[in-house]
């Protein structure tokens, strides 16, 4: 058993049912907070990724994609 698990086990042995209820509520709150933080970080990362890859064109076919790419190249190369 890890040292932290041993420490927690020793502390839990001294508690009663009311203490367990309080601890469970605190852990739920902490877990929800961490999930929210991760969700915010994930959304920020996805927003940054979307900025990098640019606008989602939503091509309906490969031909549409190739046509759009050709137009982009012409624009960039001033052809």
């Amino acid at each position: 058993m890890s040292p932290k698990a041993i420490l927690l086990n020793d502390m839990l042995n001294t508690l009663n049912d009311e203490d367990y209820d309080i601890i469970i509520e605190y852990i739920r709150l902490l877990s929800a907070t961490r999930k929210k933080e991760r969700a915010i970080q994930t959304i920020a990362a996805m927003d940054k990724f979307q900025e990098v890859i640019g606008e989602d064109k939503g091509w309906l076919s490969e031909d549409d994609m190739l046509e759009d790419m050709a137009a982009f190249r012409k624009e960039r190369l001033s052809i």
Side-chain angles (χ1 to χ4, degrees), residues 28-47:
R28 283 184 180 143
L29 173 67
L30 183 60
S31 177
T33 301
R34 296 288 190 250
K35 286 179 185 176
K36 184 176 179 180
E37 288 171 357
R38 281 193 299 271
I40 290 170
Q41 290 172 348
T42 300
I43 290 169
M46 290 301 294
D47 288 346

Side-chain angles (χ1 to χ4, degrees), residues 54-70:
E55 181 183 341
D56 179 13
K57 300 286 186 175
W59 297 293
L60 299 176
S61 69
E62 186 176 349
D63 289 338
D64 288 344
M65 179 189 69
L66 294 173
E67 195 175 298
D68 191 47
M69 290 172 69

